[in-house]
Amino acid sequence: MRINNDNVTLRSMNKTTEDYQFVYHWCQNKEVYEWFEQRVLSYDEVVEKYRNKIDDTKQEILIIEYKNKPIGLLQFYKFENDINLSIEGNIYEYDLFIGDDEYLSKSIGVEVLNLIDNYLFNEKGASHIILRPFKRNIRAIKCYLKCGYRELSEYIGKNTLGEDEEYVVLIKENI
């Protein structure tokens, strides 16, 4: 899979040492693991986790490239409504991070969001897209609001360490 505009490309992650090295490198960055894993992953953990994710037909794992340089990761999948939202339709959800500090706060995230949102609405026929960042992840929430998402609700859930965490549920509708 390949989705792109002039600056940003979203391409399928491959089971290659190179792609695993990118993700491993990014997962060492506090700006990534604080929001994405809540801990540093070893190289073997990255390989195991993403090999399994690539094999899982329920989700797509994409490398984010900016001007042909890999800078982050995005994964999208059908929303399973495990938090009992009162919405119906063809609903998607995604998670992403920009793993290279050099590319943070440069509106690249806005480009990535607009690219994946257009793809999900136009190619996958999504009726809604749900995002669930930690409530304390102000930078991400500001970016999502800037891209047309609105706050739907909040809830307490478990992070990847099994600890309670406040989440914000954001929604964007295909209108």
Side-chain angles (χ1 to χ4, degrees):
M1 166 181 289
R2 188 174 216 63
I3 309 163
N4 60 297
N5 65 20
D6 291 340
N7 294 319
V8 175
T9 298
L10 306 175
R11 64 156 175 89
S12 294
M13 181 177 177
N14 299 306
K15 291 182 188 177
T16 63
T17 301
E18 184 176 50
D19 278 359
Y20 292 136
Q21 288 281 357
F22 292 140
V23 177
Y24 170 72
H25 172 74
W26 299 326
C27 286
Q28 306 308 297
N29 184 337
K30 187 177 188 315
E31 286 293 325
V32 172
Y33 71 75
E34 179 177 2
W35 308 119
F36 209 70
E37 292 291 342
Q38 293 80 64
R39 67 181 182 87
V40 174
L41 296 179
S42 71
Y43 180 77
D44 290 340
E45 288 174 310
V46 166
V47 171
E48 178 73 17
K49 178 177 182 169
Y50 287 95
R51 180 186 307 128
N52 292 336
K53 284 180 172 268
I54 291 168
D55 289 341
D56 183 355
T57 59
K58 294 181 183 175
Q59 62 185 328
E60 292 284 340
I61 309 298
L62 305 171
I63 298 291
I64 301 167
E65 295 179 346
Y66 183 72
K67 297 186 177 178
N68 299 315
K69 181 182 190 289
I71 64 164
L73 183 126
L74 184 145
Q75 53 192 17
F76 74 85
Y77 38 87
K78 292 279 245 168
F79 176 65
E80 295 185 7
N81 205 1
D82 56 336
I83 54 173
N84 299 315
L85 296 180
S86 59
I87 58 171
E88 294 181 13
N90 188 25
I91 306 166
Y92 278 83
E93 180 174 14
Y94 60 80
D95 308 303
L96 77 145
F97 63 77
I98 293 176
D100 192 328
D101 289 344
E102 178 183 342
Y103 296 92
L104 293 174
S105 299
K106 297 187 185 300
S107 295
I108 297 168
V110 171
E111 279 192 72
V112 172
L113 266 65
N114 288 331
L115 189 60
I116 191 63
D117 290 354
N118 287 335
Y119 174 79
L120 293 174
F121 287 136
N122 297 324
E123 302 299 323
K124 292 291 193 177
S127 59
H128 304 81
I129 300 171
I130 297 289
L131 302 176
R132 297 190 273 178
F134 293 152
K135 185 176 181 177
R136 60 187 172 87
N137 192 346
I138 304 302
R139 179 193 309 229
I141 292 169
K142 283 182 180 179
C143 181
Y144 301 147
L145 294 173
K146 186 176 182 178
C147 290
Y149 284 83
R150 66 178 172 82
E151 187 173 331
L152 186 63
S153 64
E154 296 179 8
Y155 70 98
I156 304 288
K158 300 289 185 189
N159 65 21
T160 61
L161 300 177
E163 301 166 342
D164 285 347
E165 185 77 53
E166 289 182 89
Y167 290 83
V168 175
V169 179
L170 301 160
I171 189 169
K172 187 173 188 179
E173 294 142 316
N174 189 3
I175 49 174

